[in-house]
Coordinates of all heavy atoms in Angstrom, one line a residue:
L14 N -16.1 3.3 -13.1 CA -14.9 3.4 -12.4 C -14.3 4.8 -12.5 O -13.5 5.2 -11.7 CB -13.8 2.4 -12.8 CG -14.1 0.9 -12.4 CD1 -13.1 0.0 -13.0 CD2 -14.1 0.8 -10.9
I15 N -14.7 5.5 -13.5 CA -14.2 6.9 -13.7 C -14.8 7.9 -12.7 O -14.2 8.9 -12.3 CB -14.5 7.4 -15.1 CG1 -13.8 6.5 -16.1 CG2 -14.1 8.8 -15.3 CD1 -14.2 6.8 -17.6
G16 N -16.0 7.5 -12.1 CA -16.7 8.5 -11.2 C -16.7 8.0 -9.8 O -15.7 7.5 -9.2
R17 N -17.9 8.1 -9.2 CA -18.1 7.8 -7.8 C -17.7 6.4 -7.4 O -17.1 6.1 -6.4 CB -19.5 8.1 -7.4 CG -19.9 7.8 -6.0 CD -21.3 8.2 -5.6 NE -21.7 7.7 -4.3 CZ -22.3 6.5 -4.1 NH1 -22.5 5.7 -5.1 NH2 -22.7 6.2 -2.9
S18 N -18.1 5.4 -8.2 CA -17.8 4.0 -8.0 C -16.3 3.8 -7.9 O -15.8 3.1 -7.0 CB -18.4 3.1 -9.0 OG -19.8 3.2 -9.0
G19 N -15.5 4.4 -8.8 CA -14.1 4.3 -8.7 C -13.5 4.9 -7.4 O -12.6 4.3 -6.8
A20 N -14.0 6.0 -7.0 CA -13.6 6.6 -5.7 C -13.9 5.7 -4.6 O -13.0 5.6 -3.6 CB -14.3 8.0 -5.6
L21 N -15.0 5.1 -4.5 CA -15.4 4.2 -3.5 C -14.4 3.0 -3.5 O -14.0 2.5 -2.4 CB -16.8 3.7 -3.6 CG -17.9 4.7 -3.3 CD1 -19.3 4.2 -3.7 CD2 -17.9 5.1 -1.8
L22 N -14.1 2.5 -4.7 CA -13.2 1.3 -4.8 C -11.8 1.7 -4.2 O -11.2 1.0 -3.4 CB -13.1 0.8 -6.2 CG -12.3 -0.4 -6.5 CD1 -12.9 -1.2 -7.6 CD2 -10.8 -0.1 -6.8
V23 N -11.3 2.9 -4.7 CA -10.0 3.3 -4.2 C -10.0 3.6 -2.7 O -9.1 3.2 -2.0 CB -9.6 4.6 -5.0 CG1 -8.3 5.2 -4.3 CG2 -9.4 4.3 -6.4
G24 N -11.1 4.2 -2.2 CA -11.2 4.4 -0.8 C -11.2 3.1 0.0 O -10.5 3.0 1.1
G25 N -11.9 2.1 -0.5 CA -11.9 0.8 0.2 C -10.6 0.2 0.2 O -10.1 -0.4 1.2
T26 N -9.8 0.3 -0.9 CA -8.5 -0.3 -1.0 C -7.6 0.4 0.0 O -6.8 -0.3 0.7 CB -7.9 -0.1 -2.4 OG1 -8.8 -0.7 -3.4 CG2 -6.6 -0.7 -2.6
L27 N -7.6 1.7 0.1 CA -6.8 2.4 1.1 C -7.1 2.0 2.5 O -6.2 1.9 3.3 CB -6.9 3.9 0.9 CG -6.4 4.5 -0.4 CD1 -6.7 6.0 -0.5 CD2 -4.9 4.3 -0.6
V28 N -8.4 1.8 2.8 CA -8.7 1.4 4.2 C -8.2 0.0 4.4 O -7.6 -0.3 5.5 CB -10.3 1.4 4.3 CG1 -10.7 0.8 5.7 CG2 -10.8 2.9 4.3
G29 N -8.4 -0.9 3.5 CA -7.9 -2.3 3.7 C -6.4 -2.4 3.8 O -5.9 -3.2 4.6
A30 N -5.7 -1.5 3.1 CA -4.2 -1.5 3.1 C -3.6 -0.6 4.1 O -2.4 -0.4 4.2 CB -3.6 -1.2 1.7
A31 N -4.5 0.0 5.0 CA -4.0 1.0 5.9 C -2.9 0.5 6.9 O -2.0 1.3 7.1 CB -5.2 1.5 6.7
P32 N -3.0 -0.7 7.4 CA -1.9 -1.2 8.3 C -0.6 -1.2 7.5 O 0.5 -0.8 8.1 CB -2.3 -2.6 8.7 CG -3.8 -2.6 8.5 CD -4.1 -1.7 7.4
L33 N -0.5 -1.6 6.3 CA 0.7 -1.6 5.5 C 1.2 -0.2 5.3 O 2.4 0.1 5.5 CB 0.5 -2.3 4.2 CG 1.7 -2.4 3.2 CD1 1.6 -3.7 2.4 CD2 1.8 -1.2 2.3
I34 N 0.3 0.7 4.9 CA 0.7 2.1 4.7 C 1.2 2.8 5.9 O 2.3 3.4 5.9 CB -0.6 2.9 4.1 CG1 -1.0 2.3 2.8 CG2 -0.2 4.4 4.0 CD1 -2.3 2.9 2.3
A35 N 0.5 2.6 7.1 CA 0.9 3.2 8.3 C 2.3 2.6 8.8 O 3.2 3.4 9.2 CB -0.1 2.9 9.4
H36 N 2.5 1.3 8.6 CA 3.8 0.7 9.0 C 4.9 1.3 8.1 O 6.0 1.6 8.6 CB 3.7 -0.8 8.9 CG 4.9 -1.5 9.3 ND1 5.2 -1.9 10.5 CD2 6.0 -1.9 8.5 CE1 6.4 -2.5 10.6 NE2 6.9 -2.6 9.3
S37 N 4.6 1.4 6.8 CA 5.7 1.8 5.9 C 6.1 3.3 6.2 O 7.3 3.6 6.1 CB 5.2 1.7 4.5 OG 4.8 0.4 4.1
I38 N 5.1 4.1 6.6 CA 5.4 5.5 6.9 C 6.2 5.6 8.2 O 7.2 6.3 8.3 CB 4.1 6.3 6.9 CG1 3.5 6.4 5.5 CG2 4.4 7.7 7.5 CD1 2.1 7.1 5.5
A39 N 5.7 4.8 9.2 CA 6.3 4.9 10.5 C 7.7 4.4 10.6 O 8.6 5.0 11.3 CB 5.4 4.1 11.5
F40 N 8.0 3.4 9.8 CA 9.4 2.8 9.8 C 10.2 3.1 8.5 O 11.2 2.6 8.3 CB 9.3 1.3 10.0 CG 8.7 0.9 11.4 CD1 7.4 0.7 11.5 CD2 9.5 0.9 12.5 CE1 6.8 0.3 12.8 CE2 9.0 0.5 13.7 CZ 7.6 0.3 13.9
R41 N 9.6 4.0 7.7 CA 10.3 4.4 6.5 C 10.7 3.2 5.6 O 11.9 3.1 5.2 CB 11.5 5.3 6.8 CG 11.1 6.6 7.5 CD 12.3 7.5 7.8 NE 11.9 8.7 8.4 CZ 12.7 9.7 8.8 NH1 14.0 9.5 8.6 NH2 12.3 10.7 9.4
I42 N 9.8 2.3 5.3 CA 10.0 1.1 4.6 C 9.3 1.2 3.3 O 8.1 1.6 3.3 CB 9.6 -0.1 5.4 CG1 10.5 -0.3 6.6 CG2 9.7 -1.4 4.5 CD1 10.0 -1.3 7.6
N43 N 9.9 0.8 2.2 CA 9.3 0.7 0.9 C 8.7 -0.7 0.7 O 9.5 -1.6 0.5 CB 10.3 1.1 -0.2 CG 9.6 1.1 -1.6 OD1 8.5 0.6 -1.8 ND2 10.3 1.7 -2.5
P44 N 7.4 -0.8 0.7 CA 6.8 -2.2 0.6 C 7.1 -2.9 -0.7 O 7.2 -4.1 -0.8 CB 5.3 -2.0 0.8 CG 5.1 -0.5 0.5 CD 6.3 0.2 0.9
I45 N 7.3 -2.1 -1.7 CA 7.6 -2.7 -3.1 C 9.0 -3.3 -3.0 O 9.3 -4.4 -3.5 CB 7.5 -1.6 -4.2 CG1 6.1 -1.1 -4.3 CG2 8.0 -2.2 -5.5 CD1 5.9 0.0 -5.3
S46 N 10.0 -2.6 -2.4 CA 11.3 -3.1 -2.2 C 11.3 -4.4 -1.4 O 12.0 -5.4 -1.7 CB 12.2 -2.1 -1.5 OG 12.3 -0.9 -2.3
V47 N 10.5 -4.5 -0.4 CA 10.4 -5.7 0.5 C 9.9 -6.8 -0.4 O 10.4 -7.9 -0.3 CB 9.4 -5.4 1.6 CG1 9.1 -6.8 2.4 CG2 10.0 -4.4 2.6
L48 N 8.9 -6.6 -1.2 CA 8.3 -7.6 -2.1 C 9.3 -8.1 -3.1 O 9.5 -9.3 -3.4 CB 7.1 -7.1 -2.8 CG 6.4 -8.0 -3.8 CD1 5.8 -9.3 -3.0 CD2 5.2 -7.4 -4.5
L49 N 10.1 -7.2 -3.7 CA 11.1 -7.5 -4.7 C 12.2 -8.3 -4.0 O 12.7 -9.3 -4.6 CB 11.7 -6.3 -5.3 CG 10.7 -5.5 -6.2 CD1 11.4 -4.2 -6.7 CD2 10.3 -6.4 -7.4
N50 N 12.6 -8.0 -2.8 CA 13.6 -8.7 -2.1 C 13.2 -10.2 -1.8 O 14.0 -11.1 -1.9 CB 14.0 -8.1 -0.8 CG 14.8 -6.8 -1.0 OD1 15.5 -6.6 -2.0 ND2 14.7 -5.8 -0.1
L51 N 11.9 -10.3 -1.5 CA 11.4 -11.7 -1.2 C 11.4 -12.5 -2.5 O 11.5 -13.8 -2.4 CB 10.0 -11.6 -0.7 CG 9.8 -11.0 0.7 CD1 8.3 -10.8 1.1 CD2 10.5 -12.0 1.7
S52 N 11.2 -11.9 -3.6 CA 11.1 -12.7 -4.9 C 12.4 -13.1 -5.4 O 12.5 -13.9 -6.4 CB 10.3 -11.9 -5.9 OG 11.0 -10.7 -6.2
R53 N 13.5 -12.5 -4.9 CA 14.8 -12.9 -5.4 C 15.3 -14.3 -4.9 O 15.0 -14.6 -3.8 CB 15.9 -11.8 -4.9 CG 15.7 -10.5 -5.6 CD 16.6 -9.5 -5.0 NE 16.4 -8.1 -5.5 CZ 16.9 -7.0 -5.0 NH1 17.7 -7.1 -4.0 NH2 16.6 -5.8 -5.6

């Protein structure tokens, strides 16, 4: 995980979470805050 395999894992994670990332940037929303609000 320290080398190439870790980079591939991180890259795959970013691709999978891309819709969330793009939405958060476009609408200036903090997804962590959304999650915390739901848990209250």
Side-chain angles (χ1 to χ4, degrees):
L14 290 175
I15 298 174
R17 175 176 173 272
S18 296
L21 288 170
L22 186 148
V23 172
T26 303
L27 293 175
V28 171
L33 180 149
I34 297 170
H36 181 88
S37 300
I38 293 174
F40 295 95
R41 298 181 179 180
I42 294 171
N43 184 344
I45 297 177
S46 298
V47 173
L48 181 61
L49 292 176
N50 289 334
L51 289 173
S52 64
R53 291 173 184 167

